[in-house]
Amino acid sequence: MDAATISGWWQSAHIDGLFLPYPRLAKIGHTSIQSSTVSQYLDFCRKTNDATPYLVCIGNQAFGYLETYQSIHSPLTPHPAISTTDRGIHFMIGDPRHIQQGWGTRILTRVADMLFDTHADMGQIMAEPLDINTKTKQLCTRIGLTEIGRIDIGHRVSRLYVLSRGQWHQRRDTRKRPHLIAPV
């Protein structure tokens, strides 16, 4: 998967500004989401501990983008509900043919499992969808995240959601876990 595809997804009409990786893009000196910028951003992610990008796939067909990040590298770290060992999730379905089919619920549930399974020191995962992104806020609630409140982090106004390890344990044993992500 090339950066042009991911850039195209970030700029597509159904995303329409609802997925904003701008704070990390600013770290590499950009605020646009053109293909060359996305390529530089993905290289930056691979070389640092800031974020881990993934392609979301069905078989060999990529249809979404996901990244997990350490909260210590986030502007949210000063928030009293966030610990420096927490992990965050950014996710979008880039291919509009896969919207409203339950993929978000299945993918983010599996990602929560992966994060809790691989990071023993992590107390919770977090997500901060834009305040205007109703669908993603509903998705957060559906997979078990609890809304903490509205946050203004300078470049955007979002809602902060968290899922604690204890909440995750309560939900985990009742589900099957599909394998849907592949490293970028």
Side-chain angles (χ1 to χ4, degrees):
M1 181 60 49
D2 64 352
T5 301
I6 296 171
S7 175
W9 288 343
W10 281 350
Q11 297 176 65
S12 64
H14 74 281
I15 300 298
D16 193 25
L18 296 178
F19 184 87
L20 299 174
Y22 296 128
R24 287 185 191 80
L25 288 176
K27 286 185 177 184
I28 61 169
H30 297 280
T31 56
S32 74
I33 49 178
Q34 301 303 314
S35 179
S36 61
T37 303
V38 172
S39 181
Q40 290 174 27
Y41 173 68
L42 294 173
D43 287 343
F44 172 79
C45 288
R46 288 182 196 106
K47 294 175 185 173
T48 67
N49 290 327
D50 273 20
T52 304
Y54 299 90
L55 289 177
V56 181
C57 305
I58 301 172
N60 292 328
Q61 180 63 43
F63 69 93
Y65 176 83
L66 165 83
E67 67 183 41
T68 62
Y69 61 94
Q70 297 176 336
S71 63
I72 196 164
H73 301 293
S74 165
L76 298 173
T77 301
H79 193 284
I82 302 301
S83 163
T84 57
T85 60
D86 295 340
R87 300 274 173 158
I89 298 173
H90 290 150
F91 169 69
M92 73 168 171
I93 294 178
D95 184 336
R97 295 174 295 178
H98 296 287
I99 295 172
Q100 300 297 315
Q101 295 183 16
W103 287 110
T105 302
R106 288 179 278 190
I107 291 161
L108 292 184
T109 297
R110 178 61 187 118
V111 169
D113 289 347
M114 176 188 72
L115 289 173
F116 282 115
D117 285 345
T118 58
H119 299 287
D121 64 333
M122 183 184 70
Q124 63 188 5
I125 59 171
M126 62 184 182
E128 79 284 348
L130 291 176
D131 197 34
I132 61 171
N133 192 343
T134 304
K135 296 288 185 189
T136 301
K137 293 188 299 185
Q138 291 169 345
L139 171 61
C140 287
T141 301
R142 196 167 41 254
I143 66 168
L145 279 79
T146 302
E147 182 179 337
I148 300 299
R150 187 173 183 267
I151 54 172
D152 183 344
I153 51 178
H155 66 288
R156 67 180 186 198
V157 177
S158 297
R159 295 284 174 163
L160 178 60
Y161 289 81
V162 298
L163 176 65
S164 72
R165 186 174 288 277
Q167 291 168 315
W168 169 73
H169 274 293
Q170 290 173 356
R171 299 175 62 93
R172 181 181 178 148
D173 294 333
T174 61
R175 306 179 272 101
K176 292 183 179 181
R177 296 179 287 151
H179 299 281
L180 298 170
I181 61 173
V184 173

